Amino acid sequence: MEHNYPELILRATPPRVPKLTLLRARLSAASMDARDKPVMILQAPPGYGKTSLLVQWRKEWMSDGEVVAWLTLDGRDDNANFIRGLGVAMDIAIGKARFEQAVEQWMSRRKNDLDALANWLAEVANIGRATVLILDDFHLFSGRIDSVIIEYLIHNAPSNLRIVIALRDIAVLEIRDLTSFDTSSVLAVDALKFTREESIVLLGLWSNAKMDRADADYLHDLTGGWPLGLQLVMSSIGNNRNLKDAVASVSAATGNIERYFVDFLMSSMSAEQAFFLIQISVLDTVCPSLCTAATNNTQAEHFLQMLRRSTPIFIEVEEPWLRMHPLVKDFLRSRWQLLPFEQRVGLHENAAHWLAANEMYEEAAHHAMQANHNEQAYSFIEQCLYDITARGQFGRVLNWLDKLPPDEILQRPKLRLAAAWMLGMSKRHAEAEQLVVAMLSQNNVTEEMQCECAAIRAVAAYYADQIDDAYASLVPWLDNLQINNFSMSAIIIGQKSLLYLYRGRPEAARYHLSKAAAEHAAGLNYAVEGFLLWLTGMSYLWEGQVTIAEKFLREKLLVVESEVGRNSSITVSLAMGLAAALLELDQIDHARTVMSYRLEFVERYCSPEVIGQAYLTAAGLLVVAGEEAQAHDVLRELGVLGEMRKIPRLILLGLADRIRLHALKAQTFSCVALQEKMNFIVHSGPQLTDGILQPLLYLIVLIANAYVALAQRNWRNMIEILEQAPVLLDQLHRGRERVQVMFLTALATLQIGGSCEASLAEAFSLADMYGLHQLAKEFIPLLGAWGREYQKPVAIMPVASKSEQASESQATPQWGAVGCNPGASSHSSMLTPREHQILFLLTRHMTNKEISNAMSISEETVKWHLKNIYGKLQAGTRKHVVVRARIMGIIE
């Protein structure tokens, strides 16, 4: 097939995609709600994977039997060259020299360019097959092409033609005017950037699953989901064998990342633009008026809009606010330091003044402190630190407390109150008590302040795992709450619900939580609302209702994360609960994704309940992955943490789970050694002899002792131990432990020749109903033949609903697979999978060339497969073989 314009051939040929390219199931053509829309637009700065996604879509559409033409635009194009390019693109797509020659004839006798374009559109309509035209690099749209040409192409496209446009700046053409009345689908930066899960998957593929998930999570945050940024980071790390050290040392000022910013970013700017970018790099978020005030540059708004349109520097926050990409800020940091000291101080002063005038006090305090105006900074941060605490941003509050002198905190009432809350929810409980005493010693202390101080003391006691002290602090307020502070009322009710939970009344806890949410919904801050949601999710897990807990926590986590951010303690607490539920449901990959937080972060910002849950889940995931030695290390860390913070519950949880793991391997001596350590903790800890936590801790110890008996194969002793459990289980209403005790009792009874088929069947039934799939799987090999009787997929594996199965099938593109196409039926053993695929494409009247393009094989291979199909189905022509396949039921 010869072409008169060979320079157009390369532009009508799709680019080759690197091997390490993520197939984005979330953005597959099948999953996009755009089938009935004639125009699709991909608009984002460079590096967001627009071209890679177009190549993915092209392959999907071709596998579905559609004609897909590709044309990359060029800044030198005029009307005639653009229309000729359309002809060459269609010829390459259909594999015949048909359009280009026709275009030349139309161009030679045309009255105007629109006539030639109209004839091209009519020829596309005559093909009679679904056709897609991809226009890549549309931002290179030249002024030499009349906009009326593009308007005509979009407005007069036949019903079988879909147009896909990829560009960097949507302002290059008023596309919105051309695609009104809901005729287009637009994918912008928010849709095109990598999700956290996509970044983790790509980094796992690149590192051959050697990269730690927490490190992958860090790199996602560093790159902000920018696909090119992630590629630059991977290139910068290279083949470094010590991935953890390489990840920790990643910087935008080194290697390929720096080279990209220098060669492709800074070199394309004027000196004024580059200087402006360095100036505003010190700002966390920017908008035109802030940039103008901070830099005293009248062209600030123009520069900002230009950079926003033509570079990937900025991430949109909320109009008109933008956030500079983390990699860019890191790259510009050294250049900022080279500016004269007076310039830097002046910019900080200007920024602080503007931000304070616009009531953005935290940012204003930061810049005032950088300008050495400390008193002004303290005044600014006093205005907002309590609100930051109320939003659950505890990491930010702790950072400010580390910067503020203790005298300033004591002198400023709002700072003192925020600091007391934050220190109470950390390991610094004594400091929190000092601040509470100082507040209560003031004259004219209001009832509301007394209530808040009691709540701070209760929270500090809860974070120290002293539940009895928390209850003592709240006693005067539990049934006599008459204050107008909605959030404080909700906190007291939430802590009351927590007490109900530890006393074994989860349904009462949920009742009070729902009542608090309904009565105080309008006045609750994010931290309080998140605390109530977490408690509700925990109440379901307490009862062992894992399926319900997983659904509830998944929905609420998305809401809370969007409101307060990923690094809030409330978000982390919800995530740890969800990860525990997912592990129990045997959804291992999802659990690992949710558990991407570092345990050090959980330990610093979360309560003992969440810490224990997080460490046990992390250990469980390691066991599933076959890394049992590392799981024991995690559980040892939990014990050490409990010793350092003087929290016996954490020590017992770590020891009990290690005993369980050793018992499942029949490692008797290890079990006995750990049991002795546990007995020492039991006899030296007052919580195990009295108090609210005593029944729960005693249940932990009792089940651990049963596992020691299991390791020793002392079945009668095991039964005697377990006979003490029902009283505790009835008192606590712990659902998972109840089923666990049923399994253990059945196992011991069967080993001594007893009969317990009914209780064993009930245990498996409850495990299936509640979603305790991991627990059921644990006992199947222990029960031997008895367990195998109950080893049914429905009993131990989660079954997706029809809607989930449908969404999953849409989310995972099966390119060219016969089973996912409407014209195919179940595979016959007569034909191979590839022959089935070719047979299906024949039903779409595709030529050998089109089939080879769709399947990425040569035409000779297609001919060879066709010959085999003709022989197997005893057919002589393409039409005959399709008819024979339908008669034989191979296709529908």
Side-chain angles (χ1 to χ4, degrees):
M1 186 169 61
E2 297 182 358
H3 294 279
N4 297 324
Y5 300 96
E7 70 277 7
L8 293 174
I9 296 176
L10 290 178
R11 289 168 47 202
T13 303
R16 177 178 296 176
V17 178
K19 276 188 176 181
L20 190 63
T21 300
L22 183 68
L23 296 181
R24 308 183 70 178
R26 175 177 60 90
L27 298 177
S28 68
S31 66
M32 297 300 298
D33 185 23
R35 287 235 173 232
D36 299 326
K37 295 181 180 180
V39 180
M40 297 178 68
I41 301 169
L42 279 67
Q43 187 268 320
Y48 276 90
K50 299 184 296 295
T51 300
S52 298
L53 185 58
L54 290 177
V55 172
Q56 175 181 324
W57 285 354
R58 174 180 177 268
K59 191 164 187 178
E60 291 181 55
W61 284 322
M62 289 175 63
S63 295
D64 205 29
E66 300 186 29
V67 175
V68 185
W70 182 293
L71 182 61
T72 303
L73 295 188
D74 192 296
R76 298 167 295 177
D77 281 335
D78 56 15
N79 292 347
N81 214 38
F82 175 70
I83 296 173
R84 290 190 184 100
L86 295 180
V88 173
M90 282 301 298
D91 279 355
I92 291 177
I94 64 175
K96 297 178 182 178
R98 171 178 173 181
F99 276 81
E100 184 181 355
Q101 296 176 4
V103 165
E104 280 305 305
Q105 295 176 6
W106 301 330
M107 298 290 287
S108 63
R109 63 174 183 263
R110 75 187 190 282
K111 295 180 181 178
N112 56 56
D113 297 320
L114 291 181
D115 290 341
L117 183 57
N119 280 287
W120 183 88
L121 291 170
E123 196 67 22
V124 170
N126 288 335
I127 292 179
R129 285 173 56 188
T131 304
V132 180
L133 171 63
I134 297 175
L135 299 176
D136 196 16
D137 285 347
F138 197 81
H139 52 275
L140 297 177
F141 177 83
S142 171
R144 297 168 65 186
I145 302 178
D146 294 335
S147 60
V148 69
I149 292 288
I150 304 299
E151 293 177 22
Y152 191 91
L153 176 65
I154 293 175
H155 284 308
N156 295 279
S159 60
N160 67 320
L161 176 63
R162 185 186 309 145
I163 301 171
V164 183
I165 297 173
L167 71 166
R168 294 180 183 176
D169 182 10
I170 208 164
V172 74
L173 182 67
E174 292 300 328
I175 293 182
R176 289 191 180 92
D177 295 339
L178 305 180
T179 58
S180 56
F181 303 111
D182 196 33
T183 59
S184 66
S185 176
V186 180
L187 293 184
V189 169
D190 286 344
L192 292 172
K193 67 182 180 182
F194 283 158
T195 63
R196 191 172 302 276
E197 290 74 16
E198 288 172 335
S199 295
I200 291 172
V201 168
L202 182 60
L203 288 166
L205 292 172
W206 171 73
S207 65
N208 290 323
K210 294 178 181 177
M211 180 170 289
D212 184 82
R213 283 178 175 268
D215 291 335
D217 195 65
Y218 164 74
L219 292 180
H220 172 81
D221 289 335
L222 179 66
T223 58
W226 182 31
L228 179 58
L230 198 62
Q231 293 283 354
L232 292 171
V233 165
M234 292 189 294
S235 177
S236 177
I237 294 174
N239 296 320
N240 196 316
R241 292 185 178 180
N242 193 331
L243 276 178
K244 190 166 285 292
D245 289 345
V247 169
S249 63
V250 166
S251 169
T254 57
N256 294 331
I257 306 176
E258 182 183 34
R259 194 175 305 118
Y260 170 80
F261 286 129
V262 171
D263 295 345
F264 298 101
L265 195 62
M266 302 297 286
S267 62
S268 63
M269 300 180 191
S270 65
E272 282 185 316
Q273 292 170 344
F275 179 63
F276 169 77
L277 185 62
I278 293 170
Q279 283 182 303
I280 66 171
S281 67
V282 75
L283 303 172
D284 287 334
T285 54
V286 298
C287 71
S289 54
L290 172 58
C291 292
T292 301
T295 63
N296 290 321
N297 189 333
T298 56
Q299 290 188 291
E301 184 173 358
H302 169 71
F303 287 157
L304 192 62
Q305 292 301 326
M306 185 278 298
L307 292 170
R308 178 184 180 182
R309 290 176 176 177
S310 59
T311 69
I313 288 175
F314 295 107
I315 302 169
E316 292 189 16
V317 180
E318 185 177 349
E319 191 67 30
W321 290 97
L322 304 169
R323 187 182 301 278
M324 191 173 289
H325 197 284
L327 282 175
V328 180
K329 286 179 73 72
D330 189 25
F331 168 73
L332 295 173
R333 186 176 293 117
S334 59
R335 286 160 173 75
W336 161 261
Q337 294 295 333
L338 295 176
L339 295 179
F341 177 75
E342 294 77 10
Q343 283 188 20
R344 286 183 280 141
V345 170
L347 196 143
H348 282 304
E349 290 174 342
N350 294 340
H353 179 75
W354 188 94
L355 290 164
N358 287 271
E359 299 183 349
M360 302 176 68
Y361 294 112
E362 184 184 8
E363 294 85 351
H366 169 74
H367 288 287
M369 193 168 281
Q370 291 297 313
N372 292 322
H373 299 323
N374 291 338
E375 285 298 322
Q376 189 181 49
Y378 303 151
S379 298
F380 288 155
I381 198 60
E382 185 182 11
Q383 301 296 317
C384 64
L385 197 62
Y386 187 84
D387 292 333
I388 298 172
T389 306
R391 291 199 299 269
Q393 302 290 341
F394 301 150
R396 285 161 57 186
V397 178
L398 280 176
N399 288 336
W400 275 109
L401 293 182
D402 291 337
K403 296 176 184 177
L404 297 172
D407 292 342
E408 290 293 334
I409 295 175
L410 287 172
Q411 293 172 10
R412 299 174 184 271
K414 290 184 178 179
L415 281 181
R416 192 167 53 203
L417 192 58
W421 273 111
M422 192 62 252
L423 294 173
M425 290 183 283
S426 67
K427 295 176 284 189
R428 298 156 66 179
H429 307 129
E431 295 176 57
E433 177 61 22
Q434 291 175 2
L435 292 175
V436 168
V437 171
M439 288 185 286
L440 291 176
S441 65
Q442 301 293 315
N443 295 326
N444 301 321
V445 178
T446 64
E447 185 180 22
E448 185 174 323
M449 177 58 70
Q450 292 176 11
C451 179
E452 187 156 4
C453 287
I456 292 172
R457 279 175 164 160
V459 167
Y462 170 61
Y463 271 72
D465 213 32
Q466 301 293 330
I467 308 301
D468 296 274
D469 292 344
Y471 174 66
S473 299
L474 293 174
V475 165
W477 306 96
L478 289 179
D479 299 315
N480 187 28
L481 193 60
Q482 297 178 355
I483 58 175
N484 295 323
N485 188 324
F486 288 160
S487 290
M488 196 52 52
S489 299
I491 288 175
I492 299 296
I493 294 173
Q495 292 176 334
K496 182 179 180 179
S497 302
L498 191 62
L499 292 172
Y500 276 121
L501 196 61
Y502 282 118
R503 284 174 169 161
R505 297 184 61 190
E507 69 290 339
R510 281 198 298 274
Y511 169 77
H512 287 283
L513 289 169
S514 62
K515 185 178 178 181
E519 292 179 355
H520 307 301
L524 295 183
N525 58 52
Y526 294 132
V528 175
E529 184 179 5
F531 173 62
L532 300 183
L533 293 174
W534 172 77
L535 269 177
T536 304
M538 289 305 100
S539 72
Y540 288 120
L541 286 177
W542 184 281
E543 292 178 315
Q545 298 195 58
V546 179
T547 304
I548 298 176
E550 186 272 336
K551 182 180 180 182
F552 178 86
L553 290 169
R554 184 186 293 278
E555 292 174 355
K556 302 309 177 184
L557 177 61
L558 292 174
V559 175
V560 172
E561 187 172 349
S562 66
E563 296 290 350
V564 300
R566 173 175 168 80
N567 293 325
S568 164
S569 67
I570 296 299
T571 307
V572 176
S573 298
L574 288 167
M576 294 305 101
L578 176 60
L582 289 169
L583 172 62
E584 191 61 57
L585 288 167
D586 210 26
Q587 299 181 22
I588 305 303
D589 291 336
H590 290 164
R592 287 197 183 107
T593 301
V594 176
M595 272 291 295
S596 57
Y597 293 94
R598 295 180 185 274
L599 289 177
E600 296 88 344
F601 185 92
V602 179
E603 182 266 327
R604 186 179 185 191
Y605 296 119
C606 296
S607 65
E609 183 78 39
V610 177
I611 293 170
Q613 191 177 60
Y615 274 81
L616 293 181
T617 303
L621 290 171
L622 289 169
V623 171
V624 172
E627 300 175 5
E628 195 162 321
Q630 195 171 344
H632 280 282
D633 283 340
V634 170
L635 295 171
R636 287 191 194 95
E637 289 176 16
L638 179 60
V640 171
L641 179 59
E643 292 173 2
M644 292 175 60
R645 295 180 61 169
K646 298 180 180 179
I647 302 177
R649 177 161 44 148
L650 298 184
I651 303 174
L652 293 177
L653 284 172
L655 290 172
D657 209 42
R658 290 178 63 197
I659 288 173
R660 180 184 65 86
L661 294 177
H662 283 304
L664 295 176
K665 300 284 187 179
Q667 296 164 346
T668 306
F669 294 109
S670 297
C671 288
V672 172
L674 293 173
Q675 185 185 35
E676 291 176 358
K677 291 183 180 180
M678 179 175 284
N679 290 335
F680 176 78
I681 300 296
V682 168
H683 292 109
S684 61
Q687 285 185 334
L688 278 144
T689 57
D690 191 18
I692 295 173
L693 280 181
Q694 188 266 345
L696 178 62
L697 298 183
Y698 189 64
L699 180 63
I700 294 171
V701 173
L702 186 148
I703 293 177
N705 288 334
Y707 273 102
V708 174
L710 186 154
Q712 295 171 328
R713 299 303 188 258
N714 191 341
W715 306 114
R716 297 190 183 279
N717 182 37
M718 184 174 168
I719 291 173
E720 291 177 4
I721 293 170
L722 293 171
E723 284 174 348
Q724 306 171 50
V727 175
L728 291 171
L729 293 170
D730 290 339
Q731 181 181 351
L732 291 170
H733 288 276
R734 296 280 290 188
R736 186 185 191 277
E737 285 79 0
R738 183 180 296 278
V739 178
Q740 188 176 24
V741 167
M742 291 176 70
F743 276 125
L744 288 168
T745 304
L747 174 63
T749 303
L750 290 169
Q751 293 296 334
I752 62 174
S755 176
C756 61
E757 286 80 1
S759 62
L760 191 58
E762 183 178 350
F764 276 107
S765 177
L766 289 173
D768 178 49
M769 181 174 68
Y770 289 145
L772 301 171
H773 304 309
Q774 272 291 326
L775 183 62
K777 287 178 68 176
E778 176 181 303
F779 279 92
I780 285 174
L782 294 174
L783 291 165
W786 296 288
R788 286 192 291 274
E789 292 181 13
Y790 298 95
Q791 193 172 9
K792 301 175 183 177
V794 68
I796 63 170
M797 294 295 292
V799 179
S801 64
K802 290 184 179 179
S803 60
E804 289 173 335
Q805 291 171 353
S807 63
E808 185 175 337
S809 64
Q810 286 184 343
T812 308
Q814 305 289 333
W815 289 344
V818 178
C820 67
N821 288 298
S825 65
S826 60
H827 285 182
S828 165
S829 59
M830 183 180 296
L831 301 180
T832 67
R834 177 152 286 186
E835 289 169 352
H836 269 280
Q837 191 174 352
I838 290 175
L839 182 60
F840 170 73
L841 296 177
L842 283 180
T843 66
R844 310 304 288 266
H845 308 291
M846 295 176 70
T847 64
N848 289 353
K849 178 68 173 179
E850 291 167 338
I851 293 174
S852 69
N853 288 336
M855 297 180 63
S856 300
I857 58 178
S858 68
E859 283 191 72
E860 292 302 318
T861 303
V862 174
K863 292 177 182 177
W864 183 78
H865 282 299
L866 280 175
K867 181 180 178 182
N868 290 338
I869 295 171
Y870 288 162
K872 290 178 180 180
L873 300 187
Q874 299 179 4
T877 65
R878 300 164 80 91
K879 184 176 181 180
H880 189 196
V881 80
V882 171
V883 172
R884 289 278 300 161
R886 288 197 173 116
I887 292 172
M888 298 172 70
I890 297 175
I891 60 174
E892 294 178 357

